[in-house]
Amino acid sequence: MTALFDTRGSLLALREDIGRHNAVDKILGHALLHEKLPLDHHILLVSGRSSFEIMQKALAARIPIVAAVSAPSSLAVQFAAESGQTLVG
């Protein structure tokens, strides 16, 4: 499950898939189709663990804040620090 919120905390989109990465792709595809990119004033929430690849996808969409239900991978933490993203686990 992946959810996209605005900075006020309003839920804008929610997508599910067997894999977190696919759910993120669905959220970003939704934003693209509705001409909402870049998402520089949004928050991405992922169920489970945040990975390096999820952080890369969020950065490509210019999402500044990613929150995950579980602890993120060490590579995700390093990537977030280097790219200026906020990562919450």
Side-chain angles (χ1 to χ4, degrees):
M1 189 261 330
T2 300
L4 184 67
F5 296 89
D6 64 20
T7 54
R8 293 178 311 223
S10 298
L11 177 64
L12 303 175
L14 177 69
R15 297 294 181 269
E16 287 186 275
D17 202 287
I18 192 80
R20 296 179 323 274
H21 297 272
N22 296 342
V24 171
D25 291 342
K26 287 180 178 182
I27 288 285
L28 299 182
H30 171 80
L32 177 66
L33 291 173
H34 290 90
E35 300 180 2
K36 301 293 183 187
L37 294 175
L39 298 170
D40 48 358
H41 292 94
H42 294 78
I43 301 164
L44 186 70
L45 173 67
V46 295
S47 63
R49 188 175 175 125
S50 182
S51 66
F52 167 76
E53 294 84 6
I54 288 174
M55 296 308 297
Q56 280 186 314
K57 291 176 183 189
L59 183 63
R62 294 187 30 200
I63 299 173
I65 302 170
V66 177
V69 175
S70 292
S73 70
S74 59
L75 195 52
V77 171
Q78 179 183 350
F79 184 81
E82 291 172 358
S83 63
Q85 293 170 289
T86 299
L87 175 56
V88 180

